[in-house]
Structure formats: C-alpha cells, structure tokens
C-alpha cells in the first residue's frame, strides 16, 4: 500500500508540477501579450497625439486634383513626365557640384587638396547608403509623401552647406544630404507604374535623361559660376532649385497606393532584394551590364580633365566644362530614340545597340585623343548615348519582373550601377597615372567587351540563366492588346491586394501578364 500511496503521491505531485508549469506558461504568455498590447497602446497614443497628427496631416496633405481615386485615377501626362525629369536633374546634381571646384573649396576652407577630395567620397558613400536603406521603403510608404519629405529635408539641410565656414560641418552635411538625394530613384519605379507599357521606355528615358543631365550640367554650372563669382553661388542656386522642385512636386505629383500595404517589415524588404538577385536571371544580366557600362562613363569623364588640361591642348577649366554640352546633346536625343527603338523591340536588343555605340566611341576617342580633339568629342556623344539607351532598356526589362517590388528591383540595379561608377573612377585614375589616356581607354574597351558577353550569354526569350532558348527574335511579343492606360494596369496589379495580401512566403506576381492572371484568379475565388 505504501507503494500505491507513493505512486498516488507522485501522481498528485506530478499533477501539481504540471499545473505549475501550465500556470507559469500562461503567465508568460499573458505577460508577453500584455507587453505587446502595451507597446501597441503606446504607439497608438503617439500616433493619435494631436501634434503628431497635425504634423502628419500637414506633410501628407494632397491637392484634390492629385488625390488617388480608383474610379478616376490621375493621368500620366507629358507634363508630369517632364516634371519628374526636371526634379531628377536638380536633385542628382547635388552630388556633382563639388567636382570641378575642389581646389577652390580647399583654399576657402584652408585645407589640403587631398582632404578636400573627401567631399565627393563622402557624398558617394551617403548616396550608396540612401540607395540601399531608403529606396526599398518606396514599396512600403506612400511615394508622394515619402518623396516630398525627402526633397524638403534635403533642401532644408542644404542651407547649412551654403553658410557654414567649418569644413567638418560641411563634410557632415554633405553626407546627410547625399543620403536623402535618392528621390529620383523613387520616381523611376513610379514612372514604371504610371506609364503605359507601350510608352514605358520613352517615359523612363525622359527621367533618365534628367538624371544624366544633372551629372553633366552640375559640373558645367559649377565651373562657370565659381570662376566668375564664388563657389557659394552654385550652392545657393542648388538651394533655390530644390525648393522649386519641392513646390512643383507638391502641386502636381499624384498620389499612388502603396504596393505592399502589409506583410513585409523593413528587414524582410532588405532581405528580399538578395532573394530577387538569385531568382531573376534578367535582373542579374542587367546588373552586370549596368556595372560595366557605368564604369566606362565615369572613367572617361574623370580622366578627360587630365587629357585636356595638358599638352597639346592645355584648355582652361571653362573650356573643359563645355564638353558637357556634347553629352547634353546626346541626352536630349534619348527620348526620341527610345520611342523609335526601345519601345518597339526587346530590351536586350537595345542594350546591345547601346554597347556598340559605347565601344565604337571609346575606340575612336582612345586611339585618336592624343592627336585630335575630335576623338574625345565623338567619344563623349557615343558613350552618353550608349549609357542612356542601355540603362533605359535595362530598366524597361527589370520593371516587368515584379510589379509590386519595383523600388526593390531598382535598388538592386542602382547599387550595381553605383559600384560600377566607383570602380570606373578608381581604375581610370590609376591607369591614367601609370599609362596615360590610352591605358585608361583600353580598360574601358575591355569593360564593354565583357558587357557584350553578358548580353550574348542569354537570349532575350531565354527563361534560364544561360542559353538561347526561345530564339533571337527582336520584336516585342507583349504589346498586342496592351495599350490600355497605365492607371488601368496599376489597378489590375493592385486589385489583388483587396482580396488577399501577399506575405513573404508566397510567390510574388511575376511580370505584368502573370499579374493579370493572378488578379483574375483572385477575383474568380
């Protein structure tokens, strides 16, 4: 009987222990849920605070003509397209105003030329940080409010660059403004959302032309204004243009629904960029080509100053700056070229044409540049046109792979392009120091040759990573019956959200036609 009593005792004891454990687990769950509810309550209090609500209401207020209305969505007009191009020009120019005046900045701040070279380095690092950590948020936040906040913040902080007399402060503010200067990279995916499929390349070309124009016009204006006035004049000019851009975007930029109303948090968004790179062959192909072509562009414009300022030319800074006009001419030609070629043929065909323009211009400029100034002029026009057309075609291709994630797709592409620019600057300068103009130009010939290998390794209709499946037909097959307004495409792509929100584990919409299939499937359910 004692054994039975012991067994019963142990049973009773085990039961008590089990009840203890259950009560402890219950208390832990209750405390966890209490903490979670407390956190939500605190967040709700913060969000509902009258000052927070007033600030958010002021920032997100939208003129009636720009508000999103599914029954009457805003039209993507030529004027809106030009506005995006204008804003992109004078936003991205912030990164390049300092390039031709580093020696003057060094003298004014009483520092060495080597220390003044930290300014473009720090701004490039800030821009890279903005590309990687801010641009993906365009898939989460409403883009109108996000863009306006960034433009206003950049313009306001830029005021400090205009007035400071401390180099350390100037350097810190340069980094901060570079981080928030990524607004053009938020506008490009929005153009991909708004523009009709059969006009997408033309619409993108206008904004891309604005970005490239900003890179060139910044150097030109900065050199001229600084030579005849003061370096602060160009910074005050930029301050005014940024506030003008903010005002115009506030008045005319349309509201647009978030592509991911829920499901992914910020860190999942960042991790999803890596998953895209290993998932989509067309994205990897575009990133490889963009990396190599952009390196050629920056290598040329960096070493050109050394060539033209030394014998037999010995040009002054203003004359060297006027070479930017050659590139500007090529960029103005870009939208017409896009309408005639890129919108009608598969993107890969246009990329290959752009690379052919580049390599032809580089060969002519590299091996005749020491003898005639016509060589560098031809090279400037050819590489600017080639870079522009290849970038537009690449974006036209990659924006079709995941319509709900265009900001993240654009981030992956632009990080590769930016890394190519850094490599082109470093390699071009090093080779020019060792072997001169021909050495740096020959490296560019090699870069473009490798980019062509990237293109020919995978046919335009190949579904895998390497191969020639589907043939080499260059006419687009996705335009038949796809001339509906862009907003109708957008509604089709977003309507799936009304029935079901995509989570991280689910398969995202692939391409625009698969997006339409997914919508019809959702509606049929």
């Amino acid at each position: 009987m004692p054994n039975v009593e012991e067994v019963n005792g142990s049973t009773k004891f085990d039961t008590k222990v089990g009840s203890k454990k259950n009560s402890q687990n219950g208390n832990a769950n209750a405390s966890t849920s209490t903490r979670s509810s407390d956190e939500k309550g605190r967040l709700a209090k913060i969000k509902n605070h009258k000052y927070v609500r007033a600030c958010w209401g002021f920032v997100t207020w939208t003129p009636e003509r720009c508000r999103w209305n599914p029954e009457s969505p805003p039209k993507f007009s030529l004027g809106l397209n030009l506005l995006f191009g204008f804003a992109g020009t004078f936003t991205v120019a912030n990164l390049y105003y300092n390039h031709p005046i580093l020696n003057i900045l060094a003298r004014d701040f009483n520092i060495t030329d080597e220390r003044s070279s930290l300014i473009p380095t720090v701004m490039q690092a800030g821009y890279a940080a903005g590309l990687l950590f801010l641009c993906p948020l365009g898939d989460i936040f409403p883009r109108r409010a996000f863009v306006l906040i960034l433009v206003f913040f950049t313009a306001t902080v830029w005021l400090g660059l205009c007035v400071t007399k401390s180099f350390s402060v100037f350097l810190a503010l340069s980094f901060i403004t570079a981080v928030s200067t990524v607004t053009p990279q938020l506008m490009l995916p929005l153009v991909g959302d708004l523009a009709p499929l059969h006009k997408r390349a033309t619409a993108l070309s206008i904004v891309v032309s604005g970005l490239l124009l900003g890179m060139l016009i910044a150097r030109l204006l900065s050199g001229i204004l600084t030579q005849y006035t003061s370096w602060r004049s160009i910074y005050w000019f930029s301050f005014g243009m940024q506030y003008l851009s903010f005002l115009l975007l506030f008045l005319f930029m349309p509201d647009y629904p978030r592509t991911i109303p829920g499901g992914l948090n910020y860190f999942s968004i960042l991790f999803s960029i890596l998953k895209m790179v290993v998932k989509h062959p067309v994205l990897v192909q575009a990133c490889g080509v963009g990396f190599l072509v952009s390196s050629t562009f920056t290598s040329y414009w960096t070493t050109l100053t050394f060539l033209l300022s030394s014998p037999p030319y010995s040009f002054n800074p203003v004359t060297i700056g006027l070479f930017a006009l050659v590139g500007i001419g090529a960029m103005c030609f870009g939208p017409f070229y896009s309408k005639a070629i890129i919108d009608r043929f598969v993107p890969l065909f246009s990329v290959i044409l752009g690379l052919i323009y580049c390599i032809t211009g580089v060969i002519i400029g590299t091996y005749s540049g020491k003898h005639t100034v016509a060589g560098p002029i031809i090279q400037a026009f050819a590489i600017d046109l080639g870079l522009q057309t290849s970038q537009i075609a690449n974006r036209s291709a990659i924006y079709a792979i995941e319509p709900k994630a265009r900001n993240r797709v654009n981030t992956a592409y632009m990080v590769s392009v930016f890394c190519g620019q850094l490599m082109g600057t470093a390699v071009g300068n090093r080779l020019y120091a060792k072997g001169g103009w021909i050495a740096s130009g020959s490296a560019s010939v090699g870069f473009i040759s490798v980019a062509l290998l990237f293109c020919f390794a995978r046919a335009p209709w190949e579904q895998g990573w390497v191969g020639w499946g589907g043939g080499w037909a260059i006419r687009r097959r996705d335009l038949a019956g796809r001339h509906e307004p862009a907003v109708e495409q957008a509604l089709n792509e977003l309507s799936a959200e009304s029935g079901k929100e995509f989570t991280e584990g689910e398969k995202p919409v692939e391409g625009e036609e698969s997006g339409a299939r997914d919508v019809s499937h959702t509606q049929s359910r």
Side-chain angles (χ1 to χ4, degrees):
M1 297 301 291
N3 292 334
V4 174
E5 288 176 357
E6 287 177 6
V7 171
N8 292 338
S10 66
T11 302
K12 291 179 182 178
F13 178 76
D14 289 340
T15 304
K16 290 178 181 178
V17 171
S19 63
K20 269 179 160 183
K21 289 181 179 177
N22 290 335
S23 64
Q24 288 175 354
N25 291 336
N27 292 335
N29 292 334
S31 63
T32 302
S33 62
T34 302
R35 284 196 302 269
S36 177
S37 61
D38 288 343
E39 290 175 0
K40 290 181 180 179
R42 283 194 295 269
L43 288 174
K45 286 181 180 178
I46 293 173
K47 290 169 64 177
N48 292 326
H49 194 277
K50 61 179 181 179
Y51 294 115
V52 174
R53 290 172 62 89
C55 291
W56 181 248
F58 174 76
V59 169
T60 58
W61 185 84
T62 305
E64 188 173 353
R65 64 176 174 276
C66 300
R67 294 173 188 171
W68 175 260
N69 182 359
E71 298 179 358
S72 179
K75 305 295 182 183
F76 185 72
S77 62
L78 177 61
L80 182 60
N81 204 171
L82 292 174
L83 172 59
F84 283 178
F86 173 84
T89 297
F90 290 101
T91 302
V92 80
N94 293 344
L95 303 174
Y96 302 98
Y97 287 125
N98 60 77
H99 284 199
I101 59 172
L102 291 176
N103 59 326
I104 297 172
L105 290 171
R107 186 176 67 237
D108 195 65
F109 284 111
N110 196 24
I111 57 174
T112 63
D113 289 345
E114 183 179 2
R115 186 160 170 74
S116 71
S117 66
L118 288 174
I119 299 172
T121 304
V122 162
M123 294 200 79
Q124 287 174 342
Y127 189 68
L131 284 174
L132 188 58
F133 296 111
L134 287 184
C135 284
L137 293 175
D139 287 332
I140 302 177
F141 297 149
R143 269 170 284 185
R144 174 186 161 88
F146 194 32
V147 167
L148 290 176
I149 289 171
L150 289 178
V151 173
F152 181 80
F153 174 82
T154 306
T156 304
V157 176
W158 193 266
L159 179 62
L161 293 173
C162 299
V163 299
T164 184
K165 295 184 179 180
S166 168
F167 180 72
S168 298
V169 173
F170 189 91
L171 202 61
L173 293 179
S174 295
F175 176 82
I176 294 171
T177 53
V179 171
S180 56
T181 302
V182 295
T183 47
Q185 303 305 330
L186 296 169
M187 294 177 190
L188 281 165
L190 182 58
V191 171
D193 289 334
L194 292 174
L197 180 62
H198 64 289
K199 292 182 179 179
R200 179 174 293 163
T202 304
L204 287 172
S205 71
I206 293 175
V207 183
V208 172
S209 296
L211 302 186
L212 299 178
L213 179 64
M215 297 169 63
L216 297 177
I217 202 172
R219 295 182 173 97
L220 178 63
L221 291 177
S222 181
I224 293 175
L225 285 178
T226 301
Q227 179 162 342
Y228 295 108
T229 57
S230 164
W231 69 265
R232 295 187 188 270
S233 299
I234 190 64
Y235 276 80
W236 281 111
F237 171 81
S238 174
F239 175 76
M241 296 308 295
Q242 289 178 80
Y243 267 107
L244 176 61
S245 298
F246 171 78
L247 179 62
L248 292 174
L249 289 172
F250 181 83
L251 293 175
F252 299 106
M253 184 177 182
D255 197 6
Y256 193 82
R258 292 176 291 180
T259 54
I260 304 180
L264 295 180
N265 59 35
Y266 178 66
F267 296 103
S268 299
I269 286 284
L270 293 180
F271 183 67
S272 69
I273 297 174
L274 297 177
K275 295 197 293 186
M276 287 178 189
V277 173
V278 299
K279 180 180 179 182
H280 299 293
V282 67
L283 179 59
V284 175
Q285 187 179 38
C287 288
V289 172
F291 175 86
L292 293 163
V293 178
S294 61
S295 66
T296 302
F297 180 84
T298 54
S299 176
Y300 168 78
W301 285 105
T302 302
T303 57
L304 178 67
T305 302
F306 303 138
L307 173 70
L308 298 180
S309 61
S310 59
Y313 304 115
S314 301
F315 292 155
N316 59 45
V318 175
T319 304
I320 295 173
L322 291 175
F323 268 69
L325 295 175
V326 179
I328 293 172
M331 291 165 194
C332 292
F333 179 68
F336 303 101
Y337 180 90
S338 299
K339 184 175 182 179
I341 303 295
I342 302 178
D343 273 329
R344 297 186 180 185
F345 300 99
V346 293
L348 185 61
F349 174 70
S350 299
V351 172
I352 293 173
L353 285 180
L355 295 179
I356 292 173
Y357 304 150
C358 280
I359 198 169
T360 303
V362 171
I363 290 174
I364 293 173
T366 297
Y367 302 110
S368 68
K370 297 287 290 184
H371 309 289
T372 173
V373 75
I377 291 175
I378 294 172
Q379 182 175 352
F381 184 87
I383 66 172
D384 287 348
L385 179 62
L387 174 72
Q388 183 185 22
T389 55
S390 64
Q391 280 202 6
I392 294 165
N394 275 330
R395 280 192 166 95
S396 181
I398 64 177
Y399 285 172
I401 58 177
E402 290 198 26
K404 291 178 177 294
R406 285 188 176 127
N407 283 280
R408 284 169 283 159
V409 170
N410 189 66
T411 295
Y413 178 70
M414 281 308 302
V415 167
S416 66
V417 168
F418 185 78
C419 290
Q421 291 180 5
L422 293 178
M423 186 193 74
T425 301
V427 172
N429 287 336
R430 180 66 61 87
L431 289 177
Y432 190 93
K434 290 187 174 181
W437 175 254
I438 293 178
S440 62
S442 298
S444 295
V445 174
F447 293 153
I448 301 174
S449 299
V450 175
L452 284 168
L453 291 179
F454 266 87
C455 292
F456 288 111
R458 183 177 177 276
W461 304 105
E462 171 63 44
Q463 297 300 313
W465 290 91
V466 178
W468 298 272
W472 279 86
I474 62 173
R475 284 283 182 180
R476 296 182 63 171
R477 303 170 183 171
D478 56 347
L479 295 181
R482 296 303 304 276
H483 289 251
E484 71 270 20
V487 289
E488 292 183 16
Q489 298 178 34
L491 287 172
N492 287 336
E493 292 170 1
L494 293 169
S495 61
E497 295 290 349
S498 62
K500 179 176 180 291
E501 290 183 359
F502 288 96
T503 60
E504 186 179 4
E506 292 176 323
K507 184 177 179 182
V509 181
E510 292 255 351
E512 307 200 9
E513 296 192 34
S514 61
R517 288 196 300 270
D518 190 83
V519 171
S520 63
H521 176 65
T522 304
Q523 291 174 345
S524 65
R525 287 188 298 174

